[in-house]
Amino acid sequence: MTTLEVVKMQGDGDCLFHALAHLDGYDGGALRIDVVDFMEAQAHHQQGFEEEWVREASRLRASRWGGATAIAAWSLMTTKRVTVHRRDLALGTVVVEELSHGSVYGNEAHPIIHILYNGVDHYDALVEIHDIDGREPAWEQPPPPRYVAEDPFPPLSKETQQPSRQSFTAPRPTKKPKTKKPEKTAKKPAEADMEVQEESLMEELERIPELATKRIREHPTLPPRESLDTVDAGE
């Protein structure tokens, strides 16, 4: 089983970029700028995600927190894969998901890094280790622990378990309001009579071709608009 050590990142608004840059020894603040420049230059190549990349680049340029789109952009920029380990505070479990760009997703030929998301507002780096001496479970886990740290994580308070306004959340489609069907109103007697007359007239008009055909077939010499009673039998 793989054991990952949690390397805590500074909570200065660039924690995602600090976590992504940790293994390279690069500065997270500088990496933010690199990722934004890359997203703005490459957004038009992201078929179906162009607007999303432009919006995320604008958010990052305004010093907002990064999320899944920024991770995918970094993955494409570095041709590395990214696996995010997200803690579910309510269940006490961890959900592991690869958020790499589609061009490298699942491709074992590309190196992969791991980062930890606390499910609320912070990212830390994860480093695979084989010797866990001097390490303790980062939080309560069934043995053997998979995530260890030099100092265990303090429990989060109820206030910190709620995402703040700046935390990254994926956009969700808005639900269309249900429209009520107009209720049928009782029709006045006069309106009802008119509808009956209109329906009767329509039925008569629809029968005109049939009646005309029958008249011509039975009395081919009978002039139009005349009847057998008005025409002399000798004609």
Side-chain angles (χ1 to χ4, degrees):
M1 183 187 72
T2 302
T3 301
L4 299 169
E5 180 179 15
V6 180
V7 182
K8 296 180 181 179
M9 299 291 106
Q10 185 176 355
D12 58 358
D14 286 331
C15 58
L16 169 61
F17 300 100
H18 290 318
L20 292 172
H22 175 71
L23 291 179
D24 296 328
Y26 196 56
D27 178 70
L31 180 60
R32 171 193 283 269
I33 297 174
D34 291 347
V35 170
V36 172
D37 292 342
F38 180 80
M39 293 182 74
E40 291 174 344
Q42 298 296 321
H44 64 285
H45 293 306
Q46 311 309 309
Q47 187 174 4
F49 298 94
E50 298 93 339
E51 293 183 2
E52 185 176 340
W53 273 49
V54 171
R55 285 196 302 268
E56 182 72 352
S58 177
R59 284 169 47 85
L60 296 176
R61 187 75 76 182
S63 299
R64 301 294 295 274
W65 296 347
T69 306
I71 293 173
W74 179 87
S75 172
L76 176 62
M77 184 178 72
T78 61
T79 63
K80 294 180 180 179
R81 298 161 59 199
V82 184
T83 296
V84 178
H85 302 243
R86 178 172 55 84
R87 291 180 64 192
D88 190 319
L89 300 176
L91 300 177
T93 58
V94 176
V95 177
V96 180
E97 182 181 12
E98 182 174 348
L99 296 182
S100 308
H101 189 270
S103 61
V104 298
Y105 181 91
N107 189 338
E108 296 183 357
H110 296 276
I112 188 168
I113 72 164
H114 300 264
I115 59 177
L116 176 68
Y117 179 50
N118 70 353
V120 183
D121 57 2
H122 186 71
Y123 287 91
D124 287 309
L126 290 172
V127 180
E128 183 177 353
I129 62 173
H130 302 284
D131 183 6
I132 62 173
D133 289 344
R135 304 294 192 274
E136 297 183 23
W139 57 85
E140 186 177 352
Q141 305 165 54
R146 185 179 181 187
Y147 304 92
V148 297
E150 293 183 355
D151 300 312
F153 281 23
L156 295 178
S157 63
K158 292 183 179 180
E159 289 76 12
T160 58
Q161 291 182 17
Q162 298 298 326
S164 66
R165 292 183 179 180
Q166 284 195 356
S167 60
F168 179 85
T169 53
R172 298 182 179 180
T174 56
K175 294 183 179 179
K176 295 183 179 179
K178 295 182 179 180
T179 55
K180 293 184 178 180
K181 294 182 179 180
E183 298 181 357
K184 294 182 179 180
T185 55
K187 297 180 180 179
K188 297 180 180 180
E191 294 178 352
D193 292 343
M194 290 180 63
E195 287 191 0
V196 172
Q197 294 176 5
E198 290 178 358
E199 292 178 359
S200 178
L201 178 60
M202 291 300 296
E203 291 178 357
E204 291 181 2
L205 290 175
E206 290 175 355
R207 294 189 59 196
I208 287 177
E210 177 186 349
L211 295 175
T213 302
K214 181 178 180 182
R215 175 190 177 98
I216 293 173
R217 184 172 59 250
E218 294 180 351
H219 306 286
T221 60
L222 188 66
R225 301 181 182 276
E226 296 292 345
S227 66
L228 293 176
D229 297 332
T230 59
V231 176
D232 185 14
E235 289 184 353

